Amino acid sequence: MLIYDRKQVMMMHRWLVPAVLFVFIVMASRADIWMEVLVKEQENINYGWTLGFITDTLKSDAALLVAPVLCAFPYASAMIDELRSGMIKAVLTRTDRQQYISSKAVACFVSGMVEEVASVGLLCVVVCIVFLPMEAAPEQGINQNEMIRLLMGQICRYGCYGALWSVVGLAISLLAMNRLMVWVGPFIMNYLMIIVYERYFDGWQLFYPKEWLLQEWEWPLSDAGICIWILMLCLIVYAAILQTGKRVLSRAL
């Protein structure tokens, strides 16, 4: 990854803004649940309610809907922006085309992963601050180790999920040469894959995006198996970006 791209990806505002938006949307979608707790002023909610609420929220329709879009916000449009502005001509005086395209793809991958992990992390922080003090004391011998393990698995899957849809957004935008497709493209592709599975080809389980986050089936290696599969898809998209990027640069320069 080029130094310029590395610095841009690590800028906090790039992933913090979509992370805040993610938390706002998913919390609003489940307002009926947490408002009931706050309005009734229950001082002692059940032990483990907080972690249960977080994991259920991450499986909600709202979370599944916005995750493929928000992950592309931080940096997926950078290459299109530089092509349109002409800045790419100055950049290519310091590096070759393949390294430039690879750097943009890797930066897009990292930014998407960081954004999704930050979104889930921020959700955990907000919910824990508000509701964890309201939980009843645990009974002797009861712990939340399994719930914590499930949450950590969700965080890993969300990170890989965000990385995939971020590079998909970059690939589609290069094919269409349209900046808007950076965000619209992943949403459409995600929606089409869900429709194809649910209505036509129910044997197409590996390509069902909801399953990558919900994990309703038995996967080899559990969470690690899903993450490995998503990363393999990222490699395929990366190869497509290299080929498409070279053609785009040849026409643009």
Side-chain angles (χ1 to χ4, degrees):
M1 193 189 309
L2 298 175
I3 296 176
Y4 170 78
D5 289 327
R6 191 183 308 130
K7 290 181 178 179
Q8 290 295 314
V9 168
M10 290 299 107
M11 287 185 175
M12 183 177 295
H13 70 277
R14 287 188 176 274
W15 49 263
L16 184 59
V17 173
V20 171
L21 186 58
F22 175 87
V23 173
F24 177 80
I25 292 173
V26 298
M27 288 297 288
S29 70
R30 292 175 62 82
D32 56 328
I33 297 176
W34 56 264
M35 281 294 290
E36 182 179 358
V37 175
L38 295 179
V39 170
K40 291 184 178 180
E41 297 182 354
Q42 300 177 9
E43 295 184 1
N44 292 318
I45 55 179
N46 295 332
Y47 178 70
W49 184 92
T50 302
L51 285 181
F53 177 80
I54 293 172
T55 55
D56 290 343
T57 300
L58 292 175
K59 294 179 180 180
S60 66
D61 290 337
L64 299 178
L65 179 67
V66 300
V69 179
L70 294 180
C71 65
F73 269 69
Y75 207 62
S77 64
M79 188 169 176
I80 288 293
D81 292 338
E82 292 180 5
L83 281 166
R84 292 291 180 85
S85 67
M87 179 182 173
I88 189 172
K89 296 179 181 179
V91 176
L92 289 179
T93 60
R94 300 177 177 85
T95 185
D96 58 71
R97 295 184 181 185
Q98 182 163 341
Q99 186 178 6
Y100 172 80
I101 299 169
S102 297
S103 177
K104 283 291 182 284
V106 173
C108 189
F109 174 92
V110 173
S111 66
M113 179 175 288
V114 171
E115 190 281 324
E116 290 296 296
V117 172
S119 296
V120 177
L122 183 60
L123 175 67
C124 293
V125 170
V126 171
V127 174
C128 286
I129 289 176
V130 176
F131 298 105
L132 199 57
M134 301 172 63
E135 284 193 7
E139 297 180 7
Q140 187 174 4
I142 297 180
N143 58 61
Q144 302 185 71
N145 293 342
E146 180 61 20
M147 189 68 74
I148 293 174
R149 187 197 68 78
L150 291 175
L151 179 58
M152 295 303 296
Q154 280 184 304
I155 293 174
C156 292
R157 297 201 307 274
Y158 258 89
C160 295
Y161 189 81
L164 173 62
W165 288 118
S166 184
V167 294
V168 167
L170 173 60
I172 294 176
S173 68
L174 289 176
L175 284 171
M177 280 305 293
N178 189 318
R179 189 174 189 269
L180 186 61
M181 292 304 294
V182 169
W183 306 288
V184 177
F187 176 82
I188 295 175
M189 183 66 70
N190 177 72
Y191 183 75
L192 287 176
M193 291 173 69
I194 292 174
I195 293 298
V196 167
Y197 171 79
E198 293 182 348
R199 297 189 180 180
Y200 303 105
F201 302 107
D202 56 0
W204 204 17
Q205 297 177 348
L206 288 175
F207 297 95
Y208 185 42
K210 283 187 176 181
E211 170 58 19
W212 301 340
L213 296 182
L214 298 180
Q215 195 183 9
E216 295 178 341
W217 307 316
E218 290 293 332
W219 283 75
L221 304 179
S222 189
D223 296 305
I226 297 177
C227 291
I228 292 171
W229 169 244
I230 296 176
L231 293 176
M232 289 173 60
L233 295 178
C234 288
L235 288 176
I236 295 174
V237 178
Y238 172 76
I241 290 173
L242 286 180
Q243 295 302 316
T244 305
K246 288 177 182 178
R247 290 198 298 269
V248 170
L249 292 182
S250 297
R251 291 196 299 265
L253 300 177

